[in-house]
């Protein structure tokens, strides 16, 4: 009887040991995945800050006006160049 009990306890012990090894492996895998996700989140934060900086730089009125003058050949509107249309006039 003690021989069977010893074999049973040994099998339970081996099962528990395998369960511990499996749990440690899973915990390490999850930790590595967590580290990768945190690294990706930090990179996304850096990218977001850069995009906000770019948006504020590209949206400034002075830059838009300079591009319109240089690339599109636009000039500021003056009263001498303004044409007014009236309803019913020919």
């Amino acid at each position: 009887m003690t021989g069977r009990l010893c074999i049973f306890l040994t099998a339970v012990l081996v099962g528990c040991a395998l369960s511990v090894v499996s749990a440690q492996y899973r915990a390490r895998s999850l930790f590595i995945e967590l580290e990768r996700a945190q690294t990706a989140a930090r990179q996304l934060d850096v990218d977001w800050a850069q995009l906000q900086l770019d948006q504020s730089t590209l949206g400034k009125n002075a830059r838009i006006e300079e591009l319109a003058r240089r690339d599109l050949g636009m000039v500021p509107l003056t009263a001498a160049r303004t044409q007014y249309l009236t309803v019913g006039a020919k």
Side-chain angles (χ1 to χ4, degrees), residues 2-33:
T2 58
R4 288 184 182 176
L5 181 62
C6 188
I7 292 173
F8 174 72
L9 290 177
T10 302
V12 169
L13 181 65
V14 168
C16 289
L18 290 175
S19 176
V20 167
V21 168
S22 175
Q24 285 179 340
Y25 176 77
R26 181 75 176 139
R28 285 186 186 126
S29 298
L30 289 173
F31 181 74
I32 290 169
E33 186 178 335

Side-chain angles (χ1 to χ4, degrees), residues 15-79:
C16 289
L18 290 175
S19 176
V20 167
V21 168
S22 175
Q24 285 179 340
Y25 176 77
R26 181 75 176 139
R28 285 186 186 126
S29 298
L30 289 173
F31 181 74
I32 290 169
E33 186 178 335
L34 174 66
E35 287 293 318
R36 286 183 184 150
Q38 287 175 341
T39 302
R42 282 191 293 272
Q43 184 60 42
L44 287 173
D45 285 340
V46 168
D47 292 346
W48 176 250
Q50 184 63 41
L51 286 173
Q52 286 179 325
L53 178 64
D54 291 345
Q55 183 181 18
S56 68
T57 302
L58 295 175
K60 290 188 177 178
N61 289 338
R63 183 178 184 282
I64 293 171
E65 186 176 335
E66 189 266 328
L67 287 174
R69 286 181 188 199
R70 185 187 68 211
D71 296 342
L72 302 175
M74 297 177 127
V75 293
L77 187 62
T78 61

